Amino acid sequence: MSDLPIRSARLVLDRLVAADAEDFRRIVTISEVGRMLFIFPTDYTTEAAAALIARDADPACRPLRLAIRRPGGDCLLGTIGLGVGDKPDIYYFLDPAAAGQGLMREAVALFLPFVQARFGLLALGAKVFTDNPASARVLEANGFHRVGHDEVQSAQRDELHPVWLYRAEYADPHAPLE
């Protein structure tokens, strides 16, 4: 598609490819990452990652998941995606080796105008485990507001854990995001 890749000085958001499956699996099975996600168990396989990539890699459809990379690099730093429905959730993860540099905040800032232009959504949501304040800051820096709380199971947690619910709303589905 002509609007991919999405570039900044530090990041490239582009299609996930089959060759990303092993890095994808490696990142989501790192305990400090996986326990902050919902669907990836500790024994998540490369084959399962490849199947998810095949399902979510078409930028014309939802669910959608894009690769996060460095410019000129093939290495997968993480992913960012969008669910289905009228007020879909965004979701993302980053390799801990790339954490603490503001990269996810930047990736979300690149991703939001792309999905707004592509899908013309009036609202987006997100869920963040309450023991993940860094992710909450990423959302808040990108115009999301905390609207509630819930309890959710992660495939890498033994029991339900509290999450904060976030929402970003837009008056005009075709207006660019700020």
Side-chain angles (χ1 to χ4, degrees):
M1 308 211 80
S2 62
D3 48 359
L4 286 177
I6 305 164
R7 298 178 187 276
S8 72
R10 299 190 313 155
L11 293 177
V12 175
L13 305 184
D14 203 357
R15 291 177 188 232
L16 281 162
V17 295
D20 292 322
E22 177 52 31
D23 281 337
F24 188 108
R25 183 216 55 83
R26 179 187 57 78
I27 297 168
V28 301
T29 58
I30 297 170
S31 177
E32 67 188 277
V33 175
R35 64 186 306 275
M36 299 303 176
L37 305 174
F38 301 102
I39 64 170
F40 305 109
T42 56
D43 61 352
Y44 195 68
T45 65
T46 301
E47 294 76 20
L52 185 142
I53 288 169
R55 183 196 77 191
D56 292 1
D58 182 353
C61 301
R62 293 185 285 142
L64 166 66
R65 190 178 294 264
L66 298 178
I68 302 170
R69 304 181 200 284
R70 296 270 190 191
D74 291 333
C75 180
L76 184 70
L77 296 178
T79 73
I80 187 164
L82 180 69
V84 297
D86 293 340
K87 298 175 183 175
D89 281 352
I90 68 164
Y91 38 83
Y92 45 81
F93 64 80
L94 195 62
D95 188 318
Q101 303 170 40
L103 297 176
M104 190 52 71
R105 182 180 295 190
E106 188 173 331
V108 171
L110 292 170
F111 185 70
L112 293 178
F114 170 79
V115 297
Q116 187 69 2
R118 173 65 45 104
F119 301 111
L121 299 164
L122 293 173
L124 297 173
K127 294 177 188 75
V128 176
F129 285 107
T130 59
D131 58 351
N132 191 358
S135 187
R137 288 190 299 272
V138 164
L139 292 170
E140 291 165 0
N142 281 287
F144 283 76
H145 302 282
R146 195 177 305 172
V147 295
H149 56 86
D150 199 356
E151 288 191 341
V152 177
Q153 182 73 43
S154 164
Q156 291 191 31
R157 293 178 187 246
D158 291 334
E159 54 193 41
L160 291 172
H161 193 84
V163 293
W164 292 312
L165 305 175
Y166 279 85
R167 176 96 34 230
E169 296 187 4
Y170 312 104
D172 178 351
H174 301 290
L177 301 175
E178 297 180 354

